[in-house]
Amino acid sequence: MSQRHLPLWEVFVRSRRGLDHKHIGSLHAADAEQALLAARDTYTRRQEGVSIWVVKSSDIHASQFEDEGAFFDPAEDKVYRHPTFYDVPEDLKL
Amino acid sequence: MATPAPHDEQARFDAVIAADEKIEPRDWMPEKYRRNLVRQISQHAHSEVVGQLPEGNWITRAPSLRRKAILLAKVQDEAGHGLYLYSAAETLGTSREEMLDDLLEGRAKYASIFNYPTLSWADVGAIGWLVDGAAIVNQISLCRTSYGPYARAMVRICKEESFHQRQGYEIMQTLAQGSPEQQAMAQDALDRWWWPTLMMFGPHDADSAHTQQSMQWKIKRQSNDELRQKFVDQTVEQAARIGLTIPDPELRWNEARGHYDFGEIDWDEFQRVLGGNGPCNRSRMRDRRRAHEDGAWVREAMLAHAEKHNRRAAGAAA
Amino acid sequence: MSDAHFTYVLRLGDNALVLGQRLSEWCGHSPFLEEDIAMANTALDLIGRARMLYSHAGRLEGRGRDEDALAYLRDEREFGNFLMCELPNGDYGFTLVRQYLLDVYHRHLYAALTESRDDELAAIAAKAVKEAAYHARRSGDWVLRLGDGTAESNARCQAALDELWGYTAELFTPDAVDSAMLEAGVAPDLATLRTRWEADVLARLAEAGLTVPADDWQAEGGRAGRHTEHMGRLLAELQFVQRAYPGQQW
């Protein structure tokens, strides 16, 4: 098909005040305004949200599968970052 | 992007599957796994989209305003589910346009059930009760599928679908408790939709081309025959409760198996409809093609407008 | 309660139902999937609005007619919707230009009706005005996109506008019912409504490169039950099951 394609957008919805926007899905739209309206019509039909972000999929930069080892494994041995690592009197409020 | 050594990647992929974890879009995956998924997810998406048509046939004729609103919301959900599924398939590197072309040019399949006509209002009830009931059995199983985006789409779809079957059953129940004409309408719909619904689960496991590999990869979690049995077992009681008769003389409880036995599906009919010769195959595809072709100028125009708008914005910024 | 009050609310319901019925015909047939979903949302809002207005009208009338009796068991001459609502959908441009003209109308109408002396109507309006604001944003966005899109889309929208414009006069021509309701503080002044509507619509049409037709052809009669030839078919389809099997529960 020789036709140009409608760009893909990622949709993030804040389900209620106080919470982060969370990725909920994607859709096709010609531009940001249309993406926003389509996101409202597609992803908030059951009161799923109070705020919407749309981001062009091609604008997202992601870590790659082969980065996984180098990016995330080095955090494995930093157990001292977690509160349970420490030995303190159990009956003490701390 | 550097190509990692295939056997390491294969081992990692196998380990993820073995550990019941999810494969995600940017992960390495065997090419066949990818192709298998694109085939299954896009087929599923096409089914939702084509599935709008038989029920859509009754939106303008729904017998009360309450029913009209419910049916419209329900058919709209099918469109939404098609969209979620196309999105999941797109994460595998196949665009929605390619998938749509495959459908419209007859290369892709969709659920054969939608090649049967909706002839009375009771058909809307029967589809919700039986067809959505069967779909839910299948989809609940797919919530545990190994591909992350597909599993997440299925979770959302299952949540939304939960009202579809109930509204269908409610329609059947109302008709079954109504006038003799309404009761006859309900029974007639059950008679026509029962066997095609059982066919939705696909061929017997022994004859299913894709089942074994799909089970190994945990794309499918339960086999066609297991799911079909589950559906029959749960539906018998539902039919009895509203006094409708399932059109199968061989249907009976098997104490030893702990399941209902049921008659053999007419596999010739199954193959015939699958092969394009069901009552509505041609009109369904004609409707889809027409919508796509009639909409071409709209899609062209919105892209043209967005480009003009961007150029103007860039010009203003410069 | 007067007959005029009942008729006024009933006609608002008729506009919502007949337009919602037309929009619902797009379900599964629109230019792309996102639009199938969006168009159905607007149709659902309109059908929901019709239900509330019919229920209210039925109570005002006090003869035990519920929403379905009013939707399914009245004949063509008893429907008082604007002719524009009942016109066949045409192409997507025609549907959206019509939608825009009516969405802006409804946005201003229901904004005014939130201050109606009919408390229940005011409560319905408070809900409807939010829906109409969204509908108008969406259809207005489409009018701009299609008017200012390609040569073909502009021509199609211009043809739609040429066809539809003559049906807009009816939106602002008060009859005895409107005048009585204005006097009773139930309904707003249509002249004010027209000023607001024109300010929005004319600006958007100009922005979209669309020209208001110069001819003075006008069609009226919907609110008096004198419809186009399309209305009978629309009702035949809408009412078919109830007419074929009278008196049943569905």
Side-chain angles (χ1 to χ4, degrees):
Chain A
M1 205 159 75
S2 61
Q3 265 179 16
R4 292 163 304 163
H5 295 166
L6 292 172
L8 188 65
W9 299 75
E10 301 300 326
V11 181
F12 300 81
V13 169
R14 184 201 294 288
S15 58
R16 58 187 163 84
R17 291 180 172 280
L19 297 181
D20 291 321
H21 285 77
K22 191 169 166 247
H23 184 245
I24 191 164
S26 55
L27 50 80
H28 290 268
D31 57 27
E33 168 72 1
Q34 195 177 43
L36 203 55
L37 299 184
R40 179 266 190 196
D41 281 320
T42 302
Y43 290 107
T44 64
R45 286 175 288 139
R46 288 174 168 80
Q47 298 184 292
E48 290 93 336
V50 295
S51 163
I52 300 173
W53 291 347
V54 289
V55 181
K56 228 179 190 170
S57 304
S58 57
D59 286 342
I60 291 180
H61 298 268
S63 63
Q64 299 296 316
F65 175 62
E66 53 271 25
D67 296 333
E68 224 175 271
F71 268 46
F72 308 113
D73 289 354
E76 236 169 55
D77 62 354
K78 314 289 194 298
V79 281
Y80 43 79
R81 288 190 187 276
H82 299 278
T84 46
F85 179 72
Y86 298 94
D87 241 347
V88 293
E90 272 192 26
D91 54 347
L92 189 68
K93 225 174 167 183
L94 193 74
Chain B
M1 197 158 59
T3 316
H7 61 275
D8 287 353
E9 302 305 341
Q10 180 73 52
R12 251 187 99 184
F13 173 85
D14 292 343
V16 170
I17 297 282
D20 250 341
E21 285 185 23
K22 302 293 180 207
I23 302 296
E24 292 293 345
R26 285 160 201 269
D27 291 353
W28 181 90
M29 60 187 86
E31 199 42 41
K32 272 186 168 169
Y33 175 85
R34 182 188 300 274
R35 278 208 304 272
N36 195 321
L37 270 174
V38 170
R39 181 189 57 78
Q40 179 169 335
I41 302 173
S42 64
Q43 248 181 47
H44 198 160
H46 299 327
S47 301
E48 300 281 358
V49 168
V50 177
Q52 292 181 91
L53 299 172
E55 289 177 284
N57 185 32
W58 279 90
I59 292 173
T60 55
R61 291 179 289 170
S64 72
L65 294 183
R66 173 174 175 268
R67 292 284 179 213
K68 190 189 287 290
I70 292 169
L71 182 58
L72 182 54
K74 197 225 153 190
V75 177
Q76 181 200 43
D77 274 353
E78 314 293 357
H81 298 169
L83 194 150
Y84 305 159
L85 288 161
Y86 282 129
S87 298
E90 281 183 284
T91 63
L92 293 158
T94 307
S95 71
R96 192 195 295 178
E97 286 79 6
E98 291 173 78
M99 293 185 268
L100 273 181
D101 283 354
D102 282 347
L103 174 69
L104 299 178
E105 287 162 25
R107 289 187 298 269
K109 295 203 174 349
Y110 56 90
S112 271
I113 190 84
F114 300 122
N115 291 317
Y116 291 87
T118 48
L119 304 179
S120 79
W121 171 249
D123 289 29
V124 172
I127 290 182
W129 174 34
L130 301 173
V131 177
D132 289 308
I136 291 167
V137 167
N138 189 32
Q139 287 166 352
I140 285 176
S141 174
L142 283 172
C143 289
R144 297 187 299 125
T145 189
S146 61
Y147 187 57
Y150 191 24
R152 291 192 285 277
M154 285 328 307
V155 169
R156 181 171 306 123
I157 288 171
C158 283
K159 234 186 261 172
E160 296 190 358
E161 285 252 349
S162 56
F163 95 80
H164 293 185
Q165 191 189 15
R166 295 170 74 96
Q167 66 87 33
Y169 190 73
E170 191 193 74
I171 289 173
M172 293 303 264
Q173 179 177 282
T174 307
L175 295 174
Q177 291 164 355
S179 69
E181 282 164 310
Q182 287 177 307
Q183 290 168 9
M185 199 188 278
Q187 184 62 51
D188 172 57
L190 172 56
D191 291 347
R192 283 182 289 108
W193 289 95
W194 175 254
W195 290 105
T197 302
L198 293 194
M199 294 178 200
M200 283 174 71
F201 295 96
H204 283 311
D205 298 345
D207 308 322
S208 174
H210 302 290
T211 291
Q212 205 192 354
Q213 180 65 78
S214 291
M215 299 273 286
Q216 262 167 22
W217 278 330
K218 296 184 181 171
I219 293 175
K220 278 181 83 149
R221 304 305 303 251
Q222 284 171 290
S223 76
N224 295 352
D225 285 327
E226 282 176 292
L227 293 167
R228 184 163 24 233
Q229 182 71 59
K230 197 171 172 195
F231 172 76
V232 171
D233 288 348
Q234 73 186 35
T235 308
V236 172
E237 160 71 14
Q238 295 163 3
R241 188 71 71 88
I242 52 176
L244 295 177
T245 309
I246 290 176
D248 179 359
E250 294 173 49
L251 185 75
R252 63 179 56 84
W253 178 250
N254 182 327
E255 191 63 51
R257 290 204 309 127
H259 291 292
Y260 280 93
D261 289 338
F262 52 98
E264 194 54 67
I265 286 167
D266 179 351
W267 294 108
D268 288 341
E269 178 180 334
F270 174 80
Q271 290 301 341
R272 201 164 57 239
V273 180
L274 195 67
N277 293 319
C280 298
N281 297 58
R282 291 176 192 197
S283 67
R284 299 290 184 241
M285 289 315 296
R286 195 162 51 231
D287 281 359
R288 287 313 312 162
R289 265 186 228 115
R290 186 181 300 143
H292 191 73
E293 284 159 15
D294 288 354
W297 71 270
V298 176
R299 298 189 299 274
E300 275 298 313
M302 54 197 250
L303 279 168
H305 174 79
E307 279 163 16
K308 275 192 219 175
H309 188 79
N310 286 342
R311 267 202 308 278
R312 281 182 211 133
Chain C
M1 188 310 282
S2 64
D3 280 357
H5 194 170
F6 165 68
T7 304
Y8 183 79
V9 176
L10 184 70
R11 297 196 307 204
L12 294 177
D14 289 344
N15 283 326
L17 176 62
V18 172
L19 188 59
Q21 174 81 354
R22 281 297 186 213
L23 290 188
S24 73
E25 292 172 15
W26 276 109
C27 191
H29 303 276
S30 78
F32 56 106
L33 204 44
E34 282 78 355
E35 278 302 297
D36 277 329
I37 299 168
M39 195 60 107
N41 271 348
T42 306
L44 279 170
D45 286 342
L46 290 169
I47 291 163
R49 187 185 304 168
R51 295 180 65 186
M52 290 188 286
L53 290 163
Y54 282 154
S55 295
H56 180 39
R59 282 191 292 273
L60 287 172
E61 188 192 35
R63 285 170 42 200
R65 289 204 281 182
D66 64 7
E67 58 179 51
D68 287 333
L70 291 171
Y72 288 87
L73 302 176
R74 281 182 302 142
D75 210 347
E76 182 173 335
R77 293 297 309 274
E78 300 167 81
F79 272 79
N81 54 283
F82 296 128
L83 299 177
M84 202 194 283
C85 301
E86 74 206 38
L87 298 177
N89 284 332
D91 65 16
Y92 214 60
F94 186 90
T95 296
L96 286 164
V97 171
R98 169 178 61 190
Q99 197 58 34
Y100 176 64
L101 298 174
L102 289 167
D103 286 343
V104 175
Y105 181 82
H106 284 134
R107 190 180 67 201
H108 291 304
L109 171 68
Y110 283 106
L113 283 174
T114 59
E115 288 164 26
S116 172
R117 267 194 219 151
D118 174 343
D119 289 341
E120 184 154 0
L121 182 56
I124 294 170
K127 182 171 187 305
V129 70
K130 290 184 202 165
E131 295 167 353
Y134 181 77
H135 298 167
R137 176 167 169 182
R138 197 185 108 75
S139 57
D141 184 66
W142 267 114
V143 165
L144 184 58
R145 274 174 209 286
L146 296 180
D148 182 38
T150 60
E152 180 183 2
S153 69
N154 179 275
R156 282 175 182 266
C157 289
Q158 186 61 55
L161 188 63
D162 292 348
E163 171 87 20
L164 285 161
W165 195 256
Y167 290 96
T168 60
E170 185 178 43
L171 275 55
F172 305 103
T173 313
D175 65 2
V177 170
D178 295 309
S179 304
M181 287 302 100
L182 174 62
E183 201 150 311
V186 170
D189 177 23
L190 290 178
T192 314
L193 197 61
R194 173 170 220 149
T195 311
R196 290 181 186 150
W197 181 83
E198 279 180 347
D200 286 348
V201 167
L202 296 179
R204 176 47 55 103
L205 293 177
E207 198 185 352
L210 298 170
T211 315
V212 171
D215 70 54
D216 52 4
W217 179 80
Q218 289 182 0
E220 296 189 322
R223 283 175 310 151
R226 292 191 311 277
H227 290 276
T228 65
E229 290 179 345
H230 307 292
M231 184 66 174
R233 284 192 182 78
L234 182 143
L235 288 180
E237 191 171 346
L238 185 133
Q239 299 179 336
F240 152 67
V241 179
Q242 288 263 3
R243 299 289 193 178
Y245 305 93
Q248 304 303 325
Q249 295 297 310
W250 298 95

